[in-house]
Amino acid sequence: MKVIPIVGEARNVLAPYLLRGDDELCFRNRRGTAWNKDTFRRHVTRKCDDNKIKRWTPYQIRHLVGQIVRDKTSAEHTQAILGHSRISMVETCSRIAEARAVEAAQAIAEAS
């Protein structure tokens, strides 16, 4: 089982959902069915389509948090918070983000 530390304001917001029995569901939809990563992703993308905004996924938030943790702490901290079994995964993500940053900088330079 993965343990996710919840601190600060997030803890206050989530407290009503977390104070439950070990065998009770944390999040449910209107029909009482449990949410999981896939149902949540489908809900988000459906709402994006309904509101005619660019699609995004919860995974993008996870990736962003990983980049923030990596920038502010270390690869080991990022590995712990994201639950990667190998630190090489964190390093791969960091290289991808760096390459995209270079591409973005080049695009800005070309537009100037």
Side-chain angles (χ1 to χ4, degrees):
M1 177 173 72
K2 181 179 176 188
V3 175
I4 301 171
I6 301 172
V7 298
E9 186 61 25
R11 186 178 187 92
N12 296 334
V13 170
L14 293 174
Y17 299 99
L18 301 176
L19 300 174
R20 59 184 172 73
D22 289 342
D23 59 340
E24 292 180 56
L25 296 174
C26 186
F27 299 104
R28 300 172 190 256
N29 64 19
R30 289 184 186 139
R31 294 182 306 244
T33 307
W35 284 74
N36 63 33
K37 65 180 179 59
D38 297 320
T39 54
F40 183 53
R41 177 189 46 78
R42 283 192 301 268
H43 181 77
V44 168
T45 55
R46 189 177 309 121
K47 289 299 180 182
C48 289
D49 292 345
D50 291 349
N51 291 287
K52 296 177 176 53
I53 61 173
K54 185 178 177 184
R55 277 188 173 191
W56 62 273
T57 66
Y59 184 79
Q60 289 172 283
I61 296 173
R62 174 183 160 78
H63 183 75
L64 175 63
V65 167
Q67 286 300 312
I68 292 168
V69 172
R70 178 68 174 97
D71 291 346
K72 294 191 177 285
T73 59
S74 69
E76 290 82 10
H77 287 90
T78 307
Q79 179 185 14
I81 201 79
L82 295 180
H84 290 309
S85 59
R86 292 173 291 147
I87 197 133
S88 61
M89 186 61 188
V90 173
E91 292 164 348
T92 299
C93 292
S94 295
R95 284 193 299 275
I96 291 168
E98 183 178 329
R100 287 188 179 154
V102 169
E103 290 171 7
Q106 289 172 336
I108 291 168
E110 291 171 4
S112 301

